[in-house]
């Protein structure tokens, strides 16, 4: 039911899965180090901030890197990736994960607790996160080409999810260009990740609905229902488009007021109710 013909060129589903498992492994090692940093025999030998630094990177690997590798794995399964673009995306994401993990294991940097993405003030971590997100953007850009009328319904749904992810990344880039020149303090980082983090939920929800369709694809009846389900995934695009437009035109209203909560309630809620 879930088998799909692989494109002839590219990275391959198993390689993407290996990257996802490697991220979980690195996060597990960091979790072990976080625990050991609290022991009486090892704690005094480590930097005073080691616990906070390792914990921040542990969280980022699990809730940023792993969460964004899994959509790429789905796009690969749907046949939306391939060629040099996919290989470039994999290289960027793998290098980015390594750049994020190394400072955490070394206990190097200053931990900052920021909404959605706890942050490490450390050049290698910053470069790793930027490179990783660039790789995600490359993969999402490739997958977004599946959002075409002639494409398979499940591929169109995957392409719609990719467009949502692209909008969230674009929002992050726009907000970073606005606030980063003034310095990466808690306020600036909170603005960057607060808006894009909300918009990224549109992409995750759209892709979750796509997966539901794939899992239901083996049912003996209901082909028309599945096509309708895949078609509803496109309804997440208007909400994320409004959020991206707000980032460009009125970013203060997104970071200071209830706008994002309202947008998410309706933009995510209405398609979900229709799908049910």
């Amino acid at each position: 039911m879930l088998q799909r013909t692989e494109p002839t060129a590219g990275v391959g589903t198993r390689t993407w899965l290996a990257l996802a498992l490697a991220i979980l492994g690195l996060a597990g090692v960091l979790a072990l180090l976080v625990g050991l940093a609290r022991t009486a025999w090892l704690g005094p030998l480590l930097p005073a901030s080691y616990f906070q630094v390792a914990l921040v990177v542990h969280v980022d690997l699990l809730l940023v890197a792993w969460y964004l590798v899994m959509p790429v794995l789905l796009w690969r399964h749907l046949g939306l990736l391939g060629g040099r673009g996919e290989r470039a995306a994999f290289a960027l994401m793998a290098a980015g994960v390594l750049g994020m993990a190394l400072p955490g294991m070394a206990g190097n940097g200053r931990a900052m607790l920021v909404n959605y993405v706890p942050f490490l003030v450390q050049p290698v971590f910053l470069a790793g996160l930027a490179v990783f997100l660039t790789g995600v953007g490359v993969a999402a850009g490739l997958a977004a080409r599946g959002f075409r009328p002639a494409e398979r319904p499940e591929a169109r749904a995957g392409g719609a999810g990719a467009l949502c992810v692209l909008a969230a990344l674009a929002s992050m880039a726009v907000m970073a260009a606005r606030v980063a020149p003034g310095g990466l303090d808690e306020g600036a980082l909170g603005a960057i990740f607060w808006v894009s983090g909300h918009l990224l939920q549109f992409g995750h929800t759209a892709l979750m609905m796509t997966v539901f369709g794939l899992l239901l694809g083996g049912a003996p009846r209901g082909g028309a229902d599945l096509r309708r389900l895949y078609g509803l995934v496109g309804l997440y695009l208007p909400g994320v488009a409004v959020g991206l437009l707000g980032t460009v035109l009125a970013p203060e209203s997104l970071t200071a007021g209830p706008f994002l909560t309202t947008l998410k309630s309706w933009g995510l809620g209405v398609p979900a109710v229709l799908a049910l």
Side-chain angles (χ1 to χ4, degrees):
M1 176 181 66
L2 292 178
Q3 292 183 352
R4 183 74 59 192
T5 302
E6 293 279 3
T8 57
V11 173
T13 301
R14 291 187 177 183
T15 307
W16 283 110
L17 182 59
L19 177 59
L21 293 175
I23 291 171
L24 293 180
L26 289 170
V29 170
L30 281 165
L32 177 62
L33 293 174
V34 166
L36 292 176
R38 288 302 201 194
T39 60
W41 59 275
L42 183 60
L45 304 177
L46 297 173
S49 61
Y50 191 90
F51 175 84
Q52 291 83 1
V53 170
L55 183 60
V56 162
V57 178
H58 163 77
V59 171
D60 284 348
L61 286 177
L62 283 179
L63 299 184
V64 178
W66 187 81
Y67 261 57
L68 288 173
V69 167
M70 298 310 292
V72 181
L73 185 61
L74 173 62
W75 295 327
R76 175 70 194 190
H77 171 75
L78 292 172
L80 298 177
L81 301 181
R84 294 180 178 178
E86 183 186 7
R87 291 194 292 271
F90 179 84
L92 289 168
M93 292 172 69
V97 166
L98 188 61
M100 293 168 63
L102 288 178
M105 292 182 176
N108 186 9
R110 178 168 62 92
M112 298 174 65
L113 299 181
V114 182
N115 286 321
Y116 278 93
V117 182
F119 197 78
L120 199 63
V121 181
Q122 207 275 347
V124 177
F125 176 87
L126 177 60
L129 180 61
V131 168
F132 176 82
L133 293 175
T134 300
V136 175
V138 171
L142 293 173
R145 297 178 300 178
F147 191 66
R148 296 175 295 187
E151 191 56 88
R152 293 169 288 119
E154 63 270 28
R156 290 195 74 233
L163 286 172
C164 290
V165 172
L166 276 177
L169 293 175
S171 170
M172 185 185 300
V174 170
M175 194 64 76
R178 286 179 178 272
V179 302
L184 292 178
D185 56 11
E186 284 85 350
L189 291 169
I192 293 171
F193 297 126
W194 179 253
V195 178
S196 58
H198 276 80
L199 297 185
L200 189 59
Q201 293 183 39
F202 284 82
H204 283 152
T205 310
L207 294 169
M208 180 181 67
M209 284 181 60
T210 305
V211 171
F212 285 166
L214 291 175
L215 293 174
L216 293 169
R221 293 181 296 173
D225 288 335
L226 278 179
R227 287 192 293 272
R228 282 193 286 269
L229 175 65
Y230 287 133
L232 287 171
V233 176
L235 293 182
Y236 289 106
L237 289 171
V240 78
V242 170
L244 178 57
L245 186 63
T247 307
V248 175
L249 299 180
E252 295 80 8
S253 65
L254 272 67
T255 56
F259 179 84
L260 282 174
T261 303
T262 304
L263 176 67
K264 195 173 67 172
S265 298
W266 288 95
L268 294 179
V270 171
V273 170
L274 293 174
L276 290 173

